[in-house]
Amino acid sequence: KSFTPKEDWQKTCFECFQKTRAGGRGRPASNVGEGREPKFNVYLKQLKESGYFDPAGNLRPELRVQDADMVAYVLAQAGVTSGQLRRFFTMARSLEQRLGGSRDFASIVPDIASLQPFVAVIIGRAQNETQRMQLAALRDFIDVNAELARQSEKAFRKGFLPHFESVIAYFPLYKPK
């Protein structure tokens, strides 16, 4: 059947899009890869398996450069706004400041986890199903990183925050104001 996209990122008609959805609950499967780089799915998988640090305990450099660049590109293509991304980063930085005062990491773990429901709010407010599917990239990014950041104070301070900071830095390259 003939399909003429109205936007550059549209790859399929609405009916075909509906067929590619998985899970039946409105959230596309993260491995569908529709409209995103296959590298993004590899990045998510590797991050889940390896975490932020190399065997010596240092932050993996690709999280500051190549992965951050690629994530920024995928999020920009997914329709994420700089305001949305900065809101999450600001929340993370405020948690870091709270941690600096109390030194009780366990007290902020629930707040790190709260980043995940906030993504659901953004996706729920999207005007149509196509936008919701595109914003799943933001959800996948936040979900994986929030899970890893909850593991330890080092993972939060020395892994999650520098990685997220680099994503924020690359983002305007792909979505200038």
Side-chain angles (χ1 to χ4, degrees), residues 31-105:
N31 62 356
V32 172
E34 187 68 35
R36 29 174 130 141
E37 296 237 342
K39 291 179 188 177
F40 184 69
N41 293 324
V42 171
Y43 150 81
L44 292 172
K45 183 179 181 200
Q46 184 177 10
L47 195 57
K48 284 180 192 177
E49 293 171 357
S50 305
Y52 295 115
F53 306 105
D54 64 16
N58 301 311
L59 181 66
R60 292 187 292 122
E62 63 269 16
L63 291 174
R64 292 295 298 227
V65 184
Q66 296 93 340
D67 288 348
D69 185 15
M70 181 268 306
V71 168
Y73 173 79
V74 169
L75 294 178
Q77 295 301 307
V80 175
T81 67
S82 61
Q84 290 168 332
L85 203 55
R86 282 207 167 274
R87 188 174 314 127
F88 284 102
F89 187 66
T90 301
M91 290 168 67
R93 280 290 189 204
S94 69
L95 293 174
E96 180 188 33
Q97 288 177 345
R98 273 186 38 208
L99 182 59
S102 72
R103 303 296 292 162
D104 181 18
F105 181 71

Side-chain angles (χ1 to χ4, degrees), residues 94-114 149-150 152-153 156-157:
S94 69
L95 293 174
E96 180 188 33
Q97 288 177 345
R98 273 186 38 208
L99 182 59
S102 72
R103 303 296 292 162
D104 181 18
F105 181 71
S107 69
I108 69 161
V109 168
D111 295 321
I112 296 171
S114 74
R150 290 193 306 256
S152 68
E153 183 175 345
F156 177 69
R157 284 185 188 245

Side-chain angles (χ1 to χ4, degrees), residues 120-134:
V121 170
I122 289 173
I123 293 172
R125 289 181 179 165
Q127 294 181 352
N128 60 50
E129 192 62 34
T130 303
Q131 288 175 335
R132 287 184 191 99
M133 181 168 176
Q134 293 295 315

